[in-house]
Amino acid sequence: MAFGVFIHRSDSIYDDTPAERYQFPRQYLDRARACVGDWIVYYEPRKVADTKGYYAVAKVERIIPDPSTPGMYLALIEPGSYLDFATPVPFADESGPIERGVLNDEGRISGRAQAAVRGLSPNDFNRIVEAGLADETPLLPRTGVVTADHSLRDERSPFVFDEARERVATLVSRVVRDRVFRRIVLRAYDERCAITGLKLINGGGRAEVEAAHIRPVEANGPDIVSNGLALSGTAHWMFDRGLIGLDDDLQIIVSRQANDQDSIRGVINRSGRLLAPPREADRPHQQFVRWHREHCFKH
C-alpha cells in the first residue's frame, strides 16, 4: 500500500467523479494499484485557470477495468472517504514545491510532475494534508469550539510513516470532517442561506448558517462541496425533513404535505431558485439533488 497523487481538473475529458471514481489509461495501472487500500491526494494542474492545486483527499477501495471504455480503468473511491481541503494547497511556495518527490537530483522539477498518477511519500503526504486542513480564519460552529493539533515535526523523520498514519486518523475523524465541511460549504455560499438569501453574522462574528449535506453521511453522502448547502437553522430543518427540496433546475419546491405551504414560500428568496455558488463545480450535483428528492422530499 502507498500514498499517491491523482491529477484531476474540473473540465476533465475523463469520466471522473472525484468522490466516487477516477478514470485513467492502462499506462498508470501499476501506480494506481499500488494505492489500493490507501489514500491519494487530488491535484489540479497549474495550467488550469484559477487552479485549486492540491484540493482533496480520498481512499482508493479497488481498481476495475472500465466496463464502458476498453483500455481504461476506474479507481473506485471508498464511500465516505473523500474530503475537500479547508484550504487548497498551491503546487509551490517560496521554498519550492510542497511535493518534494517531483524534484530530480539537481533539485529541479522533473517530468514526474506531469504524471497523472504518481506515488507520494509519507513525508509529502503529511505536508500536503497538514496544509490542506489548516485554516487561518476558521468559521467556528455556533456552539463550542473544535480544536485539533495538526502540528508536523519534520525532525522526527524516522517516524514519518507513523505520522502519516496519525494524519489518516485525523482524516477519518467525524469531528474534523464536519469542521472542514462547514468551512468549504460556507465559503462557497459566501455564508448566505441558499434558500432564504439571508446572510446573518452574530455578535461573535460567526455565520448564522449551517452546512447541510444534501445526501446525508448516514446514506453514504460524501463530504464534498457539491453535496452541501448553506442553510439557516429553519431551512435546514425543513430540508432534512423533506418539506422543501430542489428540482433538476435548482428551483425550490415545497411539499404538498407541509401544513403551512404559504408560510414556507414566504421565507424562500424572491427568485424561487436556490442561490447557488458562482463556481460550477461547487454547485449541487444532480445525483445528490435527485437522491434527496427521491428519498427525503415528501411528494
Side-chain angles (χ1 to χ4, degrees):
M1 295 188 294
F3 301 116
V5 171
F6 286 3
I7 289 184
H8 170 78
R9 47 191 298 168
S10 56
D11 59 351
S12 175
I13 61 172
Y14 291 98
D15 184 20
D16 295 339
T17 304
E20 297 179 352
R21 66 182 183 271
Y22 179 83
Q23 187 187 52
F24 61 92
R26 183 186 300 273
Q27 70 189 86
Y28 294 119
L29 183 57
D30 288 343
R31 296 180 189 176
R33 280 176 172 164
C35 297
V36 171
D38 225 321
W39 292 77
I40 59 92
V41 175
Y42 278 111
Y43 171 71
E44 190 169 58
R46 288 182 289 177
K47 59 186 176 182
V48 175
D50 300 320
T51 175
K52 295 184 292 184
Y54 303 92
Y55 67 90
V57 292
K59 188 176 183 180
V60 179
E61 185 176 62
R62 57 197 172 103
I63 305 291
I64 63 170
D66 188 335
S68 63
T69 311
M72 301 295 286
Y73 292 82
L74 297 174
L76 302 183
I77 302 303
E78 182 177 295
S81 67
Y82 180 97
L83 181 66
D84 277 318
F85 284 151
T87 306
V89 182
F91 177 77
D93 56 21
E94 62 276 1
S95 62
I98 192 169
E99 184 186 348
R100 306 287 194 260
V102 300
L103 299 175
N104 60 23
D105 293 340
E106 288 75 38
R108 297 176 181 174
I109 296 175
S110 67
R112 177 181 172 81
Q114 304 301 317
V117 176
R118 56 181 183 262
L120 186 68
S121 72
N123 209 340
D124 284 347
F125 176 81
N126 274 343
R127 192 178 299 107
I128 293 170
V129 173
E130 167 73 7
L133 294 182
D135 197 342
E136 296 298 327
T137 56
L139 290 167
L140 301 176
R142 290 183 292 167
T143 57
V145 178
V146 177
T147 59
D149 178 14
H150 300 309
S151 59
L152 257 180
R153 295 172 293 278
D154 286 334
E155 68 271 19
R156 291 179 56 199
S157 55
F159 307 102
V160 66
F161 197 81
D162 290 337
E163 287 189 3
R165 291 303 158 198
E166 292 175 7
R167 194 69 59 219
V168 166
T170 297
L171 292 174
V172 300
S173 164
R174 193 65 248 168
V175 171
V176 173
R177 295 178 77 89
D178 284 346
R179 174 179 61 80
V180 173
F181 185 71
R182 173 176 165 80
R183 156 55 71 181
I184 61 176
V185 170
L186 267 61
R187 181 171 56 208
Y189 284 84
D190 191 30
E191 304 173 28
R192 186 182 302 278
C193 175
I195 297 292
T196 66
L198 292 174
K199 181 177 181 178
L200 300 175
I201 307 297
N202 69 17
R206 298 174 182 174
E208 289 291 331
V209 287
E210 303 164 358
H213 286 84
I214 301 172
R215 179 169 180 164
V217 172
E218 296 77 13
N220 291 324
D223 295 306
I224 186 171
V225 68
S226 60
N227 185 39
L229 296 173
L231 299 176
S232 65
T234 300
H236 192 173
W237 184 88
M238 291 191 294
F239 187 80
D240 283 354
R241 282 154 184 79
L243 299 180
I244 55 177
L246 301 169
D247 67 13
D248 286 345
D249 295 321
L250 300 184
Q251 284 286 139
I252 301 167
I253 53 180
V254 178
S255 170
R256 288 179 292 181
Q257 297 186 36
N259 66 342
D260 193 353
Q261 297 179 36
D262 290 339
S263 293
I264 293 176
R265 292 191 178 94
V267 301
I268 294 174
N269 74 84
R270 291 182 180 180
S271 73
R273 290 177 55 83
L274 187 85
L275 302 178
R279 194 172 187 273
E280 182 69 31
D282 292 341
R283 296 172 187 171
H285 196 285
Q286 287 295 320
Q287 65 171 308
F288 304 131
V289 170
R290 288 171 184 165
W291 188 96
H292 179 272
R293 199 164 58 243
E294 293 169 3
H295 295 86
C296 294
F297 184 70
K298 293 180 171 63
H299 293 275

